[in-house]
Amino acid sequence: MYLVTAQEMRDLESYTINQLGIPGHVLMESAGRAVVDQIVKRFPNPKRVVVLAGTGNNGGDGFVVARWLAFRGWEVDLWLIGSAVKLTSDAKLYYHACEQLLSIHHAEKESEASLQAHLMMCDVIVDAMLGIGYSGMLREPFTSIVQWINQHAESYIFAVDMPTGVEADKGHVFPVALRVDETITFNCPKWGHYLLPGSKYCGKLKVVDIGITPAGHTKALTPNARLNDPNDWNMYLGGRKQWAHKGTYGHVLIIGGAKGTLGAVAMAGEAAYRMGSGLVTLTVPESQHEALAAKVTQEMIWSWPGKDHFLPEIAEELKTAFQRYDAVVCGPGLGRFPGEVRFIKEILQTVKRPLVLDADALNILAEHPHLMQFRANDCPTILTPHPGEMARLLRITTEEVERKRAAVALQLAYQTRSVVILKGRYTIIAFPDGKRVVNTTGSPALAKAGSGDILSGIIGSLLAQEIPVESAIQIAVYIHGRLGEEVDAHSALYRDLLDHIASIRQLLEPTNSPGN
Ligand SMILES: NC(=O)C1=CN([C@@H]2O[C@H](COP(=O)(O)OP(=O)(O)OC[C@H]3O[C@@H](n4cnc5c(N)ncnc54)[C@H](O)[C@@H]3O)[C@@H](O)[C@H]2O)[C@@H](O)CC1
Ligand SMILES: Nc1ncnc2c1ncn2[C@@H]1O[C@H](COP(=O)(O)OP(=O)(O)O)[C@@H](O)[C@H]1O
Ligand SMILES: [K+]
């Protein structure tokens, strides 16, 4: 499913109106009806509702909702927020229809106390004040109404398209936005539904089709952002081939595991096996070999020259040894050590297969950005920063990263010619060709040490299985998020997460795919 900006949505709407000849008011009627369908799904028996309508087309949808809820026996209090002379032409049409059926309250003419009394007495509030047309600093009277509802209202709140105060493109909130239970949006989700802080205000998001030309239907109107959708990649999750041998599903190499952080490589390795790899090798400095051997069973261990840390020089025979691996993950538990810059440079140059850089490998890169020049253009590189690592990579604050997640992910992808996975609630995957994918799976169960290592292992595994890079990454991020949804948010350990890989993978496999 595509993810759009307000302008992309407006372009699709005007194509539908101007090229296909579907009048705007027909779209508005469909939008309002679709919202009513969702409302009555949640509340099958008529209730008391306050519909708050602005003067733009979002308000127009609100008039349609008010009319249909009244037909369905709901007790409707309809409030116009703003001056009737400012109504758009489509909104005016439905405003007049409502005038015949209901008495419309005008917030301009009535006291705040009167609106507040209505809001206190209703079961449901429909927010049709502002939608994708809102931008800048939220003005009065919206600010006061929103603040009051957020503080006092106990009713169930539906937002039409966007909660009032959430900006559609960047998810900005200046200074307040309405905190709603459900947002019903049209045709495509908007960026603001998934970016902070806006995403925190949207509640449950429902996307409904109202007959606007689908995004991507015409080349000129194809957005370059999507939600991570299994239909785009589940063809790569077939059953295991009957005649497979352990080499069939790739050999992953995981480099890391300094003293005290050996668990990181062990977890990444276990995740890679669980995701289907046939062979997994862990590389640690010589002094850690024994400790790691006591920890892992199925993984092979490649002792790296160097006592307490990796020696930076890679001898020719080691360079040759690298060619055995189908994908390489460098970083889990790597630590910082003398010669680290040389070491990362050698890895970037030597590894010709897909290379995932995680954790301290990213921190080293952040301090020495020139290192990326040693990576050949045709060798895929994947960077997996959490917001703190991203801040170091771009030399900005973590707050700025969180405020501009979509933009900074793309900036780093362009700068490094790498695929960037900016982790967190709604992980953003940015590709160096400008495409972006937003992942919606995940849970706070993943906010625990080790879950990043599991993600690296899963990515490495899928890359080694020679699934195309774009798909492998989307599969990994999606499945990793789903693992978090299957376990208890507080108590889950990494093994609990890994235990669900099999069932989630099976659910995602296309039906009737026995392998061959
Ligand atoms: N584009 C589409 O695909 C469709 C859109 N429809 C609806 O139309 C909406 C978009 O309509 P509009 O473009 O008229 O925009 P909106 O109705 O979302 O917003 C426009 C209004 O917001 C006010 N406004 C803007 N910034 C403000 C601020 N900082 N403080 C206070 N007020 C501010 C403007 O003065 C104007 O009255 C969508 O959200 C959706 O609900 C549907 O009717 C049908 C299809
Ligand atoms: N609240 C959350 N909701 C969804 N996913 C989360 C949440 N918190 C963390 N995650 C995910 O968990 C992983 C944590 O990675 P990272 O911070 O690198 O952890 P580690 O310290 O284990 O390496 C990321 O994939 C991130 O997207
Ligand atoms: K709204």
Side-chain angles (χ1 to χ4, degrees):
M1 183 179 280
Y2 287 102
L3 189 61
V4 297
T5 61
Q7 188 55 49
E8 284 167 338
M9 196 65 220
R10 278 192 282 269
D11 291 346
L12 290 164
E13 185 194 26
S14 65
Y15 179 88
T16 312
I17 294 171
N18 301 321
Q19 303 293 316
L20 304 190
I22 314 293
H25 64 83
V26 170
L27 299 177
M28 190 173 276
E29 176 75 6
S30 305
R33 277 300 298 269
V35 171
V36 169
D37 288 346
Q38 294 305 314
I39 294 175
V40 298
K41 219 182 251 175
R42 179 81 179 76
F43 295 101
N45 298 318
K47 298 275 173 201
R48 183 164 191 170
V49 62
V50 170
V51 177
L52 302 169
T55 56
N57 288 337
N58 193 247
D61 299 346
F63 299 129
V64 176
V65 170
R67 190 175 100 252
W68 277 101
L69 286 178
F71 288 162
R72 294 196 174 202
W74 285 50
E75 203 176 320
V76 179
D77 283 316
L78 173 58
W79 284 74
L80 174 66
I81 316 295
S83 166
V85 296
K86 288 195 180 160
L87 286 165
T88 61
S89 58
D90 289 338
K92 203 176 283 167
L93 180 78
Y94 294 110
Y95 169 86
H96 288 314
C98 283
E99 261 185 330
Q100 319 288 319
L101 300 163
L102 305 159
S103 64
I104 303 178
H105 299 272
H106 292 79
E108 274 190 337
K109 297 177 190 157
E110 295 188 41
S111 69
E112 275 178 32
S114 167
L115 172 58
Q116 290 165 3
H118 280 98
L119 289 167
M120 280 309 264
M121 284 184 308
C122 66
D123 308 299
V124 172
I125 296 172
V126 174
D127 163 27
M129 291 184 280
L130 305 177
I132 61 171
Y134 154 72
S135 65
M137 185 89 155
L138 189 65
R139 295 190 294 270
E140 289 292 2
F142 301 102
T143 320
S144 300
I145 295 172
V146 164
Q147 259 160 351
W148 193 89
I149 297 175
N150 282 349
Q151 277 169 20
H152 300 99
E154 287 174 2
S155 12
Y156 195 91
I157 309 180
F158 290 92
V160 177
D161 212 8
M162 303 295 303
T164 289
V166 175
E167 192 271 335
D169 290 351
K170 301 205 164 63
H172 289 166
V173 170
F174 294 123
V176 286
L178 193 66
R179 222 171 259 288
V180 309
D181 297 289
E182 277 182 49
T183 297
I184 300 146
T185 194
F186 308 121
N187 272 59
C188 299
K190 319 295 179 290
W191 276 99
H193 294 132
Y194 292 103
L195 296 174
L196 286 171
S199 55
K200 288 188 178 166
Y201 292 79
C202 297
K204 221 168 113 235
L205 182 70
K206 178 78 189 166
V207 184
V208 292
D209 191 353
I210 61 164
I212 291 180
T213 306
H217 191 74
T218 63
K219 200 160 186 298
L221 298 175
T222 299
N224 68 356
R226 306 182 74 106
L227 292 186
N228 193 1
D229 180 350
N231 292 317
D232 293 336
W233 40 252
N234 66 358
M235 61 289 229
Y236 296 112
L237 294 178
R240 209 162 174 84
K241 292 181 177 126
Q242 292 300 325
W243 304 106
H245 55 84
K246 65 187 178 222
T248 310
Y249 287 94
H251 194 168
V252 189
L253 175 68
I254 298 165
I255 305 171
K259 192 169 179 192
T261 48
L262 275 180
V265 269
M267 286 185 280
E270 206 169 322
Y273 266 137
R274 291 291 194 104
M275 200 61 230
S277 288
L279 292 158
V280 178
T281 296
L282 310 177
T283 303
V284 290
E286 272 166 353
S287 65
Q288 302 308 309
H289 184 128
E290 254 178 65
L292 184 63
K295 227 181 224 314
V296 300
T297 311
Q298 205 166 349
E299 293 81 358
M300 287 159 285
I301 304 176
W302 178 9
S303 270
W304 190 270
K307 205 162 166 330
D308 291 331
H309 54 78
F310 291 90
L311 269 191
E313 293 79 19
I314 303 185
E316 278 313 311
E317 67 266 26
L318 283 184
K319 286 188 182 171
T320 312
F322 266 111
Q323 311 317 327
R324 283 202 296 267
Y325 303 102
D326 300 297
V328 176
V329 177
C330 177
L334 181 70
R336 305 296 299 264
F337 53 94
E340 60 187 17
V341 181
R342 173 82 189 274
F343 180 75
I344 294 294
K345 176 185 162 210
E346 295 282 0
I347 296 288
L348 286 166
Q349 278 182 321
T350 309
V351 174
K352 301 292 181 216
R353 301 290 303 163
L355 171 66
V356 181
L357 296 181
D358 187 26
D360 271 328
L362 295 172
N363 292 327
I364 296 165
L365 195 62
E367 288 172 26
H368 306 276
H370 71 282
L371 282 170
M372 279 312 290
Q373 77 194 43
F374 297 105
R375 186 77 179 148
N377 276 343
D378 57 346
C379 298
T381 315
I382 297 94
L383 311 180
T384 61
H386 59 52
E389 287 153 353
M390 184 59 135
R392 289 189 278 280
L393 282 157
L394 289 180
R395 298 174 190 212
I396 55 178
T397 62
T398 309
E399 292 69 40
E400 204 174 341
V401 170
E402 289 295 34
R403 230 173 336 105
K404 301 181 182 167
R405 283 176 71 76
V408 296
L410 192 57
Q411 184 186 340
L412 187 67
Y414 284 147
Q415 271 177 21
T416 57
R417 294 169 284 116
S418 306
V419 181
V420 172
I421 301 174
L422 175 55
K423 297 186 286 194
R425 179 81 196 127
Y426 303 132
T427 289
I428 294 177
I429 307 166
F431 296 95
D433 65 0
K435 273 203 288 296
R436 280 174 291 185
V437 174
V438 174
N439 186 66
T440 58
T441 62
S443 96
L446 297 172
K448 210 172 249 189
S451 64
D453 306 316
I454 291 176
L455 177 64
S456 290
I458 294 177
I459 300 171
S461 172
L462 292 165
L463 290 170
Q465 292 173 46
E466 303 208 326
I467 294 171
V469 174
E470 264 190 34
S471 298
I473 288 165
Q474 291 176 68
I475 297 170
V477 173
Y478 186 95
I479 289 183
H480 179 256
R482 286 284 291 110
L483 300 180
E485 294 169 4
E486 294 297 311
V487 297
D488 177 66
H490 284 292
S491 67
L493 294 178
Y494 85 98
R495 274 181 185 279
D496 303 320
L497 295 171
L498 296 184
D499 282 346
H500 290 280
I501 288 186
S503 57
I504 288 166
R505 187 184 169 128
Q506 275 159 21
L507 278 177
L508 292 168
E509 278 176 10
T511 43
N512 307 321
S513 169
N516 45 50

